[in-house]
Amino acid sequence: VRLDSRWRMEVNRTPGGVTVINDAYNANPESMAAGLRALAAMGGEGRTWAVLGEMRELGPDSASEHDAIGRLCV
C-alpha cells in the first residue's frame, strides 16, 4: 500500500511474514502519533516494534513533543 509521498505509511511484508511500515517522510508530532496508532491497530495482539528517529525543526517545543511521543509509545 502506498499513498502520495514516498516513505509515508509504506507497508511491506517480508517473505518471513514480518510487516514493515516505513513512515519516515518528514516526521512531525501528528504524523508520528498517527503512525504509532496504525502500528498498534495493525499489530493486534502480536508483538510490535517501533524504530523512531528525531523529529527536527520543532523549535522550543522539541523536548515536550518528543516526551509526548514517548508517552504514547508506552
Side-chain angles (χ1 to χ4, degrees):
V1 174
R2 182 167 173 194
L3 301 177
D4 293 338
S5 298
R6 182 173 183 229
W7 298 343
R8 174 62 74 213
M9 288 304 292
E10 288 181 350
V11 179
N12 297 292
R13 298 200 193 316
T14 68
V18 174
T19 301
V20 177
I21 303 170
N22 181 358
D23 192 38
Y25 178 79
N26 197 21
N28 60 67
E30 293 80 21
S31 69
M32 193 168 287
L36 288 166
R37 288 186 180 105
L39 173 65
M42 293 174 74
E45 296 297 319
R47 183 186 302 191
T48 59
W49 292 75
V51 178
L52 308 176
E54 178 183 4
M55 294 178 287
R56 297 188 179 195
E57 303 174 6
L58 295 180
D61 296 326
S62 182
S64 63
E65 293 291 355
H66 282 89
D67 183 66
I69 290 299
R71 291 175 187 276
L72 180 61
C73 289
V74 174

